[in-house]
Amino acid sequence: MNFELTKEQEMTRKMVRDFADGVIRPRAIEIDQKAEFPEDIFKEMGQLGLLGIPFPEEYGGAGGDTVTYALAVEEIGKVCGSTGLSYAAAVSLGASPIYYFGTEDQKQEFLIPLAKGEGLASFGLTEPNAGSDAGGTKTRAELQGDHYVINGEKCWITNAEYARSITVTAVSGKRDDGKNIISAFIIPKDTPGMKITSPYEKMGVRGSNTSEIILEDVRVPKQNILGDPTGGFKQFLYTLDGGRISIGALAVGIAQASLDKALAYAKERKQFGQSISNFQAIQFKLADMAMEVELARNMVLKAAWLKDQKKNFSKEAAYAKLFASETSFRSANQAIQIHGGYGYMQEYEVERYLRDAKLLEIGEGTSEIQRLVIARQLGC
Ligand SMILES: Cc1cc2nc3c(=O)[nH]c(=O)nc-3n(C[C@H](O)[C@H](O)[C@H](O)COP(=O)(O)OP(=O)(O)OC[C@H]3O[C@@H](n4cnc5c(N)ncnc54)[C@H](O)[C@@H]3O)c2cc1C
């Protein structure tokens, strides 16, 4: 076994770390407070090639691997959960399904601009009455001549307001056994009938755009169906497996940031005539945080490595997402505790880490759903 990063992986991590520290970090508090999507930052990330890290050069990408991409998400997540979430969603949920399942024409038209960072994409699965039970989708797509006509509603879709294309799932027919066939469709932005609004006031990841999509007689050409017309359900399960690695990486970033802030503060803060880092109660919290961050990172990178080796990574991605997101929440909570009253104040940032980390236990499959995925893999 070799736990060393390659030279390319090290270089990309350093480049992303420098960018995150120099450009995103100074804006992180404001992005959260104003709940403003940092469109200009995403333009710069696109120019740096960050949006194309895991895609081949022939499709406008950087030809990197999943490990490199996970390192990049961690670095961005470490300074800003909102930017990290929008980045992870743009690559793992927006662009990746087109890369995995798209036809050559679809890759040329939709993937290349995304990988080059000329725009973002979204993945619309969740509906008001179909969350964890995504198979219960009510959105319908009906074939009329050369077009599909789509009607329905999607909620909480990351980046949709800023997306150049949105892939949505819809019921497109019935199997012989009476079950719904679910397909995925690529809908270009500005297609008539698609209304996107962002009406939500969120607890955390406030600078990540979260949108509602109403689809009213949206017509897309037949050729915009993604991959196997009868395999939309399997495709999105695979897409979510990949996405879980990036949510795990984002969680590691927030957990690491919590540890860094808590450690620095503990050394600096004096009570009873000494640094609070001299108290064993504080040391034990920091020791647990450091151990859990490292374990979470190892699990995320293992899942990413398995994906890169084209091995089965579904269970490991669930382990990584579950453990890292719960670690992230615990670490942020402990960081607040170590900061005492100051931790409760926005200025010290750790309260933002907690609010951002909470989303990671919910999005792309809740913690309960991750445990179900793992239990199924165990043969339950
Ligand atoms: C900020 C944000 C961004 C998001 N971005 C996207 C996006 O880009 N694209 C997208 O498609 N979706 C997105 N989502 C939706 C997200 O994936 C869903 O919120 C998530 O899958 C859970 O669905 P739900 O909220 O409907 O909860 P529900 O499914 O209603 O679950 C409610 C509770 O019941 C539990 N539960 C449900 N079923 C079971 C079961 N079988 N066994 C045990 N417990 C169960 C859940 O774990 C949870 O605790 C986003 C959500 C948020 C908040």
Side-chain angles (χ1 to χ4, degrees), residues 85 89 93 122-133 154-159 202 204-205 208-210 240 359 361-369 372 376:
L85 179 69
L93 300 184
S122 294
F123 185 64
L125 182 66
T126 305
E127 301 184 0
N129 293 308
S132 301
D133 182 15
K154 300 285 173 183
C155 62
W156 309 324
I157 308 305
T158 303
N159 297 335
K202 299 197 296 290
V205 291
S208 173
N209 175 253
T210 310
L240 289 179
L359 182 267
E361 296 181 332
I362 297 171
E364 292 197 41
T366 61
S367 292
E368 290 77 11
I369 294 301
L372 272 183
R376 278 196 195 126

Side-chain angles (χ1 to χ4, degrees), residues 79-120:
V79 300
C80 178
S82 294
T83 310
L85 179 69
S86 277
Y87 174 51
V91 176
S92 290
L93 300 184
S96 291
I98 304 174
Y99 172 56
Y100 301 144
F101 310 113
T103 61
E104 190 52 36
D105 283 348
Q106 288 169 350
K107 287 179 185 162
Q108 294 294 329
E109 183 178 351
F110 297 108
L111 176 62
I112 289 178
L114 300 176
K116 283 185 170 170
E118 291 166 3
L120 302 174

Side-chain angles (χ1 to χ4, degrees), residues 123 125 134-135 169 182 231-241:
F123 185 64
L125 182 66
T169 49
I182 296 182
F233 197 74
K234 270 196 185 147
Q235 289 173 21
F236 76 63
L237 289 183
Y238 183 84
T239 302
L240 289 179
D241 281 344

Side-chain angles (χ1 to χ4, degrees), residues 23 29 53 98 147 221 231 235 268 277 283 298:
V23 178
I29 291 178
I53 286 180
I98 304 174
H147 285 76
Q235 289 173 21
E268 194 183 288
S277 64
Q283 290 173 358
N298 282 344

